[in-house]
Amino acid sequence: MDSSRQRRAPLIGYSDRLSASAGETIEFKLSADGADRTTPRQVRSWLMHCICADPNPAGPGIIERSAGDWYEDSEHAVVEQAFQAGSCGTSPNVELPSDATIIELSAIIWPTLLDGSSQCILSWGALALCINDDNILFVQLGERVLCLAEPLSERRWFRVELILQRKGVQLEAILQQFSIDKSVPADHQGGSADCKRSATVIDAAQLDLLLADAHRVVVAARQIDGRLQQYYNGKLEAPCIRATNPLQDRTWSVSWDFSRDMHSRTVADCESRELPLTLHNLPTRAMTGSQWQGDEMCWRHAAEQYAAIHFHDDDLVAFNWSSTFSFTVPDDMPSGIYVMRISDGDHDDAMPFFVCAPAGKPGNRICMLVPTFTYAIYGNHARPDWHPGWQQRIEDWNAYPCNPAEYPGYGLSTYNHHRDGSGICHASHRRPLFNLRPGYSTFGESSCSGLRHFQADSHLWAWLDAMNLGFDVITDRELHEQGVACIAAYDVLLTSSHPEYHTMESLDALQQYRDGGGHLSYLGGNGFYWRIAVHPEQADVLEIRRAEAGIRAWASEPGEYYHAFDGQYGGLWRRNGRPPQRLCGLGFSAQGEFNGSHYRRCNHDPAFDWIFRGIDSNIIGDFGLSGGGAAGFELDRADYRLGTPTNATILATSEGHGDDFILVPEEMLTHLTTLPGAPTEELLHANIIWFEVAGGGSVFAVGSITFCGSLPCNDFDNPVSRLLLNVVEHVLHNE
């Protein structure tokens, strides 16, 4: 796929980091479509403090305040910056021995997209093993094309070879394709039907021309006119170039074993280790190879069975644009949510970032935990239900105009698929993320605001501002890198609407905070659900394996459940022995369309009347900017079997959910039975709970993604707002 032909945004940018604290620098990288160095576009930048990112005129609207005290408006000359999709591997220049009489190129492949496009498997200069427009293996030898008679098959293993052998003044060229797929019947394995072969003879002088120059080896693509093209889609293993002189009993080869250095962006060559293969656009590693037997699921235990890399022509994880300007966080800048806005007069963009308090030096007693890992994992999610009709409401609301479905060339999210149908498992914030913008609407035809993630979380920030509750910001990046030290000093820690993705380190930090005497308010749904890994060489890149269970956009192939980045089992935290109930008392139970209902108070113990102070009705949250109700879309419930503490008190339970709500797969056994043993309809709800832990900590959890969307209603004067304020004030005042 040639991303240079994809639609481009007229003015766009991203930052190299999403969070920083005093003294740390954020680099902003901008691109103006069509502008070059001779005619750069003049772009102004200015800084705003983000209070609310919801464009819905029925709510507070987009609220931003000038942050000019910490950043002076600036002008920048901006040019177009390039990016190209497609993963491959490239080596330094390889020089074959000039006296070689036999040259062989070979690889083992498992094609996944034979769609009539030209694809290159392995190339060295003019020599290239390729797949033509008829999905047939071929090689170009000067003016002559050597190809096989029958096309390749998708999702089958083949060994492909090109052999060039000098015979006097002639050069014999042999192209071979062997099926090594285990699905081929045993009596065909190794038989004549298993091998496709074609041969021709050309002038041997062409071999001398090939050997005259050094070229870099390219795996899964080809370099034409200095540009990588013809990207291959599929798994590939054991690429090798071998040169032989039988008369002198000399053999020289360069090859790469993809079962080595599984976490790395480079693969050392098997012989000299002086010709490493650099992987571009992060193809997927720790993939089952041609030798996988199905008896070992962890690549660390049988690496030789995981010797394949899956390449895609649309792999595009992180950009490498040059910095246009930078911003160093001043010492006196308050922690909070900020937006670097840019404009050339006709086009605009906005790049959010988060200023954190230094570890152990809080500016406030309340901390807002921002889920940047989840933002990145969902980054550029192109929804399948998007259509141009959404634009009318976007224009009416003056909302953010660009949608990932219109700009797929910038790379999609881990909730989308590659062109070959495999799931996208890598994510990064180091590229323009359209859905990480103030005013972006996820559900363009929703009867409400239709927000998720950054924009939906701003309902909570706006509530804190309206209640005059000072707060600091910490992101899950700091949790991962600094541990509990970055949050230990806070009395109250509030999560956002959907803190779904976590590493072991970030989850450990939250557990230690709670057990060390901190108060955790879990104000969302479907939280602490998936396990992810951070790339050890490129910390902005995240990996997700959607293993076995869970509501998921795609499923990992059997045997591919373990992360390449850290070697750990991926998938649900529940499958890793850490159900969300063990941390916050609630775990994912049901999902429906983007609509909400209400909670009903079910506990009237006077000991908990303080939580309901000022609330007259037992019905709570039958309104909201998200789904129309405080309990909706994705719901979490208590389950003592999965780890809800025995002293947890269920205060309220949601009700009135429609027929569109279903039980999550991990709770289902058959069409009639569930894992908890209760009827399905009894499990389709959210709980509000409170419990205390031995170390002096406490937890308040609401179990619904749409809860925070009810906070701004009636100018923040409503029962949901009162409920949360009661909890926060109770903790702050040690009542």
Side-chain angles (χ1 to χ4, degrees):
M1 185 178 87
D2 186 356
S3 59
S4 66
R5 291 190 294 234
Q6 297 283 332
R7 183 179 180 184
R8 300 290 183 93
L11 179 65
I12 200 75
Y14 69 94
S15 57
D16 67 335
R17 56 193 300 171
L18 290 180
S19 60
S21 56
E24 296 179 330
T25 298
I26 302 176
E27 302 283 341
F28 292 92
K29 302 158 186 288
L30 312 185
S31 179
D33 187 36
D36 57 29
R37 297 192 181 279
T38 59
T39 56
R41 198 175 302 170
Q42 294 302 309
V43 175
R44 182 172 71 94
S45 66
W46 68 100
L47 186 62
M48 301 296 288
H49 185 190
C50 178
I51 307 301
C52 185
D54 183 355
N56 187 352
I62 293 179
I63 302 173
E64 294 180 354
R65 298 175 186 142
S66 173
D69 289 345
W70 300 283
Y71 178 80
E72 185 176 352
D73 293 10
S74 302
E75 293 281 341
H76 315 279
V78 179
V79 299
E80 181 177 338
Q81 302 211 53
F83 58 95
Q84 183 176 356
S87 60
C88 64
T90 60
S91 77
N93 283 347
V94 172
E95 187 171 0
L96 300 184
S98 59
D99 61 349
T101 58
I102 302 175
I103 296 177
E104 302 172 64
L105 275 69
S106 64
I108 296 173
I109 62 170
W110 194 72
T112 53
L113 185 63
L114 298 173
D115 64 346
S117 60
S118 297
Q119 302 180 49
C120 185
I121 298 164
L122 177 64
S123 65
W124 179 75
L127 281 180
L129 272 169
C130 297
I131 302 170
N132 67 15
D133 295 350
D134 294 318
N135 305 324
I136 291 174
L137 187 70
F138 84 101
V139 63
Q140 182 87 37
L141 298 168
E143 296 181 355
R144 186 168 299 180
V145 174
L146 180 63
C147 65
L148 300 183
E150 297 180 17
L152 291 156
S153 300
E154 289 183 359
R155 299 173 68 87
R156 298 289 185 268
W157 285 107
F158 301 93
R159 177 178 174 82
V160 294
E161 299 176 343
L162 170 66
I163 303 171
L164 302 176
Q165 184 170 358
R166 188 195 303 271
K167 293 185 175 180
V169 297
Q170 291 187 319
L171 183 69
E172 182 182 28
I174 302 172
L175 185 62
Q176 299 184 131
Q177 170 187 309
F178 301 88
S179 173
I180 57 174
D181 195 82
K182 292 183 282 294
S183 65
V184 176
D187 58 350
H188 284 212
Q189 294 287 344
S192 59
D194 192 38
C195 176
K196 313 300 180 189
R197 187 174 186 271
S198 183
T200 190
V201 175
I202 60 175
D203 189 343
Q206 292 196 21
L207 180 60
D208 297 326
L209 290 174
L210 292 171
L211 298 179
D213 296 311
H215 304 279
R216 65 175 180 170
V217 176
V218 182
V219 175
R222 188 176 186 183
Q223 185 168 307
I224 302 175
D225 297 329
R227 185 168 175 265
L228 292 169
Q229 301 180 49
Q230 297 181 7
Y231 289 94
Y232 164 74
N233 285 286
K235 294 182 185 180
L236 190 153
E237 66 177 80
C240 179
I241 298 178
R242 179 177 290 106
T244 307
N245 187 324
L247 295 178
Q248 297 184 13
D249 194 25
R250 285 184 55 196
T251 298
W252 178 95
S253 67
V254 57
S255 62
W256 295 271
D257 181 355
F258 292 161
S259 70
R260 300 181 180 180
D261 310 317
M262 198 72 80
H263 66 281
S264 183
R265 292 174 297 168
T266 60
V267 184
D269 68 283
C270 298
E271 286 77 23
S272 68
R273 292 192 169 268
E274 296 177 356
L275 298 168
L277 197 72
T278 299
L279 300 175
H280 303 271
N281 278 336
L282 216 64
T284 312
R285 306 201 59 184
M287 296 282 101
T288 54
S290 62
Q291 300 304 308
W292 187 62
Q293 302 298 315
D295 58 349
E296 181 54 68
M297 295 293 175
C298 177
W299 63 262
R300 291 183 287 106
H301 300 159
E304 71 281 357
Q305 296 186 34
Y306 289 82
I309 293 178
H310 197 152
F311 296 90
H312 304 89
D313 67 356
D314 57 355
D315 272 324
L316 189 62
V317 180
F319 288 8
N320 191 31
W321 285 352
S322 299
S323 295
T324 306
F325 67 96
S326 63
F327 169 65
T328 300
V329 179
D331 292 341
D332 62 343
M333 188 174 187
S335 177
I337 302 95
Y338 293 87
V339 178
M340 186 64 74
R341 288 196 168 271
I342 58 173
S343 175
D344 63 4
D346 296 317
H347 309 101
D348 306 280
D349 195 22
M351 295 164 284
F353 64 95
F354 308 93
V355 173
C356 305
K361 298 180 180 179
N364 292 281
R365 297 175 64 188
I366 299 173
C367 177
M368 169 70 201
L369 180 62
V370 177
T372 57
F373 287 161
T374 298
Y375 294 169
I377 288 286
Y378 277 91
N380 283 351
H381 180 203
R383 291 190 57 82
D385 55 348
W386 178 89
H387 61 83
W390 289 16
Q391 289 294 343
Q392 186 58 56
R393 192 175 81 169
I394 289 172
E395 293 176 7
D396 293 343
W397 287 7
N398 194 27
Y400 184 74
C402 300
N403 191 286
E406 301 174 283
Y407 296 92
Y410 288 86
L412 299 177
S413 83
T414 66
Y415 279 76
N416 295 117
H417 295 79
H418 291 289
R419 288 204 318 123
D420 68 357
S422 59
I424 297 173
C425 68
H426 296 146
S428 172
H429 66 266
R430 289 196 180 190
R431 58 187 172 117
L433 300 180
F434 298 98
N435 55 345
L436 186 57
R437 297 293 192 263
Y440 179 87
S441 181
T442 300
F443 300 100
E445 293 183 313
S446 171
S447 60
C448 56
S449 295
L451 307 183
R452 294 196 68 190
H453 310 303
F454 175 80
Q455 301 79 17
D457 293 346
S458 74
H459 291 145
L460 178 56
W461 313 331
W463 178 82
L464 288 164
D465 181 79
M467 297 297 106
N468 198 28
L469 292 170
F471 68 100
D472 290 351
V473 167
I474 293 291
T475 81
D476 41 18
R477 172 66 62 180
E478 284 72 42
L479 282 187
H480 174 80
E481 295 177 349
Q482 301 173 18
V484 71
C486 66
I487 56 174
Y490 293 101
D491 296 312
V492 176
L493 180 69
L494 307 177
T495 79
S496 61
S497 63
H498 194 36
E500 184 176 8
Y501 290 86
H502 281 271
T503 64
M504 175 73 79
E505 291 80 2
S506 65
L507 210 57
D508 284 348
L510 290 172
Q511 188 82 38
Q512 292 163 15
Y513 169 80
R514 188 202 74 172
D515 295 346
H519 171 78
L520 172 65
S521 275
Y522 168 43
L523 304 179
N526 187 16
F528 319 108
Y529 193 60
W530 290 103
R531 182 174 188 165
I532 57 172
V534 176
H535 199 289
E537 298 173 348
Q538 190 174 344
D540 62 283
V541 177
L542 309 175
E543 180 182 23
I544 172 71
R545 296 292 174 111
R546 301 196 182 277
E548 297 189 279
I551 284 185
R552 49 200 167 147
W554 49 267
S556 294
E557 295 279 351
E560 296 174 356
Y561 302 151
Y562 284 76
H563 298 137
F565 292 1
D566 63 4
Q568 299 302 305
Y569 181 72
L572 300 184
W573 272 112
R574 175 170 171 170
R575 289 279 187 169
N576 283 266
R578 296 185 71 166
Q581 287 89 343
R582 292 191 180 182
L583 173 66
C584 62
L586 303 178
F588 195 21
S589 185
Q591 181 177 34
E593 297 296 328
F594 195 70
N595 59 72
S597 185
H598 58 269
Y599 300 92
R600 180 181 294 274
R601 181 178 177 179
C602 60
N603 183 288
H604 294 273
D605 184 340
F608 295 99
D609 281 350
W610 60 268
I611 292 181
F612 298 96
R613 185 172 55 241
I615 301 173
D616 298 328
S617 174
N618 288 330
I619 302 298
I620 301 170
D622 53 345
F623 52 85
L625 297 176
S626 292
F633 189 43
E634 294 181 343
L635 309 174
D636 296 4
R637 62 174 176 82
D639 191 327
Y640 298 100
R641 178 180 53 88
L642 289 176
T644 301
T646 56
N647 67 324
T649 300
I650 297 177
L651 303 168
T653 298
S654 69
E655 61 184 19
H657 301 292
D659 293 338
D660 54 303
F661 277 77
I662 61 171
L663 193 64
V664 293
E666 60 269 27
E667 292 284 61
M668 298 176 65
L669 291 176
T670 72
H671 66 297
L672 297 175
T673 58
T674 67
L675 196 61
T680 296
E681 57 271 17
E682 293 183 12
L683 304 176
L684 304 180
H685 65 261
N687 294 132
I688 296 178
I689 66 169
W690 169 275
F691 65 91
E692 298 176 354
V693 296
S698 57
V699 172
F700 173 71
V702 303
S704 166
I705 275 186
T706 62
F707 178 87
C708 290
S710 299
L711 294 172
C713 293
N714 194 36
D715 197 22
F716 301 94
D717 183 11
N718 62 72
V720 174
S721 174
R722 169 52 60 182
L723 186 78
L724 182 56
L725 185 62
N726 288 341
V727 171
V728 172
E729 289 184 335
H730 174 85
V731 177
L732 292 179
H733 299 157
N734 295 311
E735 295 178 1

